[in-house]
Amino acid sequence: MNGLIRRYLVVLFRFLPFALAFLRDRRRFILFGSRRQVADEKHRQRAEQIRDTMLELGPAFIKVGQVLSTRPDIVPPVYADVFGTLQDEVPEDAGGDPKQVVDEALGDELDRSTLEPIAGGSLAYVYTADYRDERIALKVRRPGLKPEIERDLRVVRGLIPLVSLFASERQQYSIENAAADFEDIILNELDFDREGAIMADIRENFVDDDRVVIPDIYEHLSSERVLAMEYLTGRKITDDDAFDDVDVTPHEMATRIIEVYLKMGLVDGVFHADPHPGNLAVTDAGRLLLFDFGMSERLPATGQEDIIGLYRALVRRDVDDLVDALIALDVLEPHVNRAEVSRVLELVIENLEGRSEITWRMIITELTTMLRDFPFRIPPDVMLLIRVGTVGEGVCRQLDPEFDFLAVVRSFLVEQGLIESELDAIIEETWTDIRRSLPALARVPSRFDRTLYRLERGELVVRTEPVGGHRMGDHDLGYAVLAGALVVAAAILTFHDQPYELPVLAVAAGFLLVYLVRRRLS
């Protein structure tokens, strides 16, 4: 208990200067004074200092920072961008000897003298080793890491009520919901049994796809602390020589990345959620190689349908369906004021339509910024999908600066039959409008009959008056109407193989000439 209190005080002391800075932003002298205007550059410097503090505090806080980088409902965009750089950071303090974990878990199965380190991260190390005349890879959890993580998660839970006191009402709602999400994500990433099972499922889903390769798992060598897998090599996807001597271009690989991740999430329902450059490689055969499945998730069928419904609503710009999708995904509460949310979402769509280029990150930023006045949260599975989109889009833009992420997403969803094509959408919308209009159309004949009856009895008189005192004969106006109708007909006939539109346009010009001459003479 003394160790927990001491750790709590250390963490509190390290973050206290930032808490005071945020309080001064709201009131210059903390308890009173006007609000301070802080430049974006100052916020970026502050975010970098917080990131460095998280690195120094160890793996649990590194993971908290990584999670916060995908939580725009909690932190502003500039902080999310900086926290996103924690992805490739490796702390200097390596902890205990991971080879001891290999000894305890595998015993005489491996020759320890053949172990060679090839990578390291905040939670685990990766080695290669000889096993039965072949080279395999071992992902080894840091010794004594789980108790340390669990202790720090208790510290984070203890800090939540304190942080909530200084947060806005909207942020309080998100912070309280995020505490449990942190624990689930971090503890899941510590469980290598879970990672191995998900990795095996994803490999099975792509067994017939020669565009992508995923290492095989040695289940009899794996455990909660050690994950043994096939050792595969490739060039880091963003290296300058990644596409040398391979039959695939950077643009083609970017498209492949998006299609692979969409298939994982929306078709198979189990996906790798950490597509940063360190986890993606290009093999000598030009295949996409995926590493490190610690951050991954399974989506229930209903979750897949809700995500597809969200995209369909965005494509159609249907605000009502968009609200329904956000509620179905637990982003918004069911009792939220739909009218107010709809007005905000209409502004989001208008703002996006007014821009020359639209990106996934831009959509998420605009959406979360405009929803800040409403209590909303981002559930873990949705958060990981957002992460896949933002990180994946960034990688694709590194490969091809002109890459259109949203166009590839839309094309994939149409090809998979997950959303309708433009023509299908127009037909469905038209049919919906007709169905809604049928009751009114059914009443038209009776109303028309009543109107004629009143005309016959002299009960209804229609009177027209010339506009501006200028009187024009009915015949003159008829020539103009005929000319306009023929122009429309000619436009339609341009799609025909024969040049029928030419004589039609000639007749239209004749009627127009007659109309102009008669009007001038009158």
Side-chain angles (χ1 to χ4, degrees), residues 303-314:
Q304 293 172 246
E305 293 172 2
D306 293 337
I307 293 292
I308 294 168
L310 176 65
Y311 190 82
R312 183 183 291 114
L314 286 170

Side-chain angles (χ1 to χ4, degrees), residues 154-416:
R154 292 179 65 185
V155 170
V156 171
R157 281 200 303 270
L159 290 173
I160 292 297
L162 187 61
V163 173
S164 297
L165 290 175
F166 304 102
S168 65
E169 183 178 350
R170 179 199 59 79
Q171 287 178 318
Q172 288 176 8
Y173 178 82
S174 295
I175 290 171
E176 290 167 2
N177 282 286
D181 297 345
F182 288 150
E183 295 188 31
D184 290 342
I185 292 171
I186 294 172
L187 293 178
N188 282 342
E189 200 166 347
L190 287 174
D191 186 352
F192 289 177
D193 280 334
R194 177 184 181 275
E195 179 179 346
I198 287 183
M199 194 171 173
D201 287 346
I202 294 177
R203 185 175 189 275
E204 179 65 24
N205 292 333
F206 286 95
V207 69
D208 297 325
D209 191 338
D210 59 3
R211 302 175 306 162
V212 60
V213 58
I214 295 163
D216 198 4
I217 299 294
Y218 296 87
E219 294 184 9
H220 62 288
L221 296 178
S222 300
S223 64
E224 184 186 359
R225 296 189 298 168
V226 177
L227 182 61
M229 68 196 92
E230 182 182 9
Y231 178 48
L232 299 175
T233 60
R235 287 166 281 189
K236 186 177 178 181
I237 201 162
T238 53
D239 284 351
D240 293 336
D241 63 346
F243 296 92
D244 291 349
D245 303 321
V246 295
D247 190 23
V248 62
T249 66
H251 176 80
E252 291 171 342
M253 183 58 73
T255 302
R256 182 181 304 177
I257 290 170
I258 300 306
E259 291 177 347
V260 165
Y261 275 88
L262 286 170
K263 181 180 184 298
M264 281 193 281
L266 300 183
V267 178
D268 301 328
V270 53
F271 64 96
H272 177 244
D274 200 15
H276 70 80
N279 291 339
L280 304 175
V282 181
T283 69
D284 291 338
R287 304 173 74 186
L288 173 64
L289 174 59
L290 304 184
F291 294 115
D292 193 359
F293 288 72
M295 191 173 288
S296 53
E297 188 59 87
R298 298 182 189 274
L299 272 180
T302 54
Q304 293 172 246
E305 293 172 2
D306 293 337
I307 293 292
I308 294 168
L310 176 65
Y311 190 82
R312 183 183 291 114
L314 286 170
V315 168
R316 293 179 173 179
R317 297 170 179 79
D318 190 321
V319 173
D320 290 334
D321 284 353
L322 185 54
V323 175
D324 290 338
L326 292 174
I327 291 174
L329 289 167
D330 290 331
V331 174
L332 292 173
E333 289 288 297
H335 55 72
V336 71
N337 188 320
R338 294 180 64 95
E340 291 185 8
V341 172
S342 296
R343 283 194 291 271
V344 169
L345 294 178
E346 285 174 356
L347 288 175
V348 170
I349 292 174
E350 288 177 7
N351 290 344
L352 291 173
E353 287 179 337
R355 302 184 184 183
S356 57
E357 182 184 49
I358 301 176
T359 65
W360 173 255
R361 177 179 289 274
M362 190 182 297
I363 291 174
I364 297 302
T365 300
E366 189 75 27
L367 193 60
T368 53
T369 299
M370 297 295 284
L371 286 176
R372 286 186 182 276
D373 292 334
F374 301 93
F376 79 100
R377 66 183 291 260
I378 301 179
D381 50 358
V382 177
M383 182 207 74
L384 291 177
L385 282 171
I386 291 175
R387 173 187 172 79
V388 169
T390 52
V391 177
E393 182 182 51
V395 171
C396 292
R397 285 297 185 94
Q398 285 182 264
L399 298 180
D400 178 7
E402 303 299 322
F403 186 75
D404 192 338
F405 174 84
L406 295 178
V408 175
V409 172
R410 178 180 177 78
S411 176
F412 175 87
L413 296 179
V414 171
E415 289 175 4
Q416 294 291 321

Side-chain angles (χ1 to χ4, degrees), residues 29-47:
F29 302 104
I30 300 181
L31 296 179
F32 59 91
S34 61
R35 186 181 185 87
R36 290 199 304 178
Q37 296 295 326
V38 181
D40 288 343
E41 184 58 33
K42 180 65 176 178
H43 277 299
R44 181 167 293 276
Q45 292 175 1
R46 192 182 295 171

